[in-house]
Amino acid sequence: MTASAGRERAAAGAGQERVAAGEEDVRVRELRTAVARLRRLLAALPAEFPERGIAEEELAGLAAMAAAGVPEVPRLRRSLLLLAGAIGSVSALSGGLTEVRHAVELFGEPPRR
């Protein structure tokens, strides 16, 4: 095994999956999929709620970050917090929000303070 392959295997074991040049980062693909699903759920929700605009803006921002490549983790976490605050009480969206949270967690744990 080469040193590079050993580092990639160690990183993957730590939840930090790496990909070969030209391949899509699995974490980014998961984020894109989760965001798209939550956007569809939100669009299909007939009920209006005060923070719907905030949720739509944050989902658009997350989608843009995922489309641009590997996003900045602090920005991901900030968007996740804003989303949770905006739609956390809408039970019809809880499954989609959970998927987005899991996708954000693929990028690593928040720094310890």
Side-chain angles (χ1 to χ4, degrees):
M1 177 185 326
T2 66
S4 176
R7 283 192 301 273
E8 287 181 14
R9 177 176 279 173
Q16 301 288 326
E17 293 187 38
R18 302 285 186 243
V19 293
E23 291 182 26
E24 182 179 33
D25 187 323
V26 175
R27 301 169 302 165
V28 174
R29 185 175 59 232
E30 291 294 323
L31 178 62
R32 188 177 314 126
T33 300
V35 167
R37 180 172 183 265
L38 185 52
R39 287 179 96 177
R40 286 190 306 272
L41 289 171
L42 182 59
L45 188 70
E48 286 297 321
F49 52 97
E51 293 85 11
R52 185 180 194 124
I54 294 169
E56 290 170 344
E57 286 177 20
E58 289 307 315
L59 285 168
L62 283 170
M65 282 190 268
V70 179
E72 297 174 29
V73 175
R75 289 183 65 199
L76 283 177
R77 294 199 174 281
R78 179 184 176 280
S79 289
L80 179 61
L81 285 173
L82 289 170
L83 268 174
I87 64 175
S89 64
V90 181
S91 61
L93 302 175
S94 65
L97 181 58
T98 298
E99 286 182 25
V100 171
R101 181 177 57 84
H102 287 288
V104 169
E105 288 173 349
L106 292 174
F107 289 89
E109 292 293 319
R112 302 279 182 217
R113 292 184 183 209

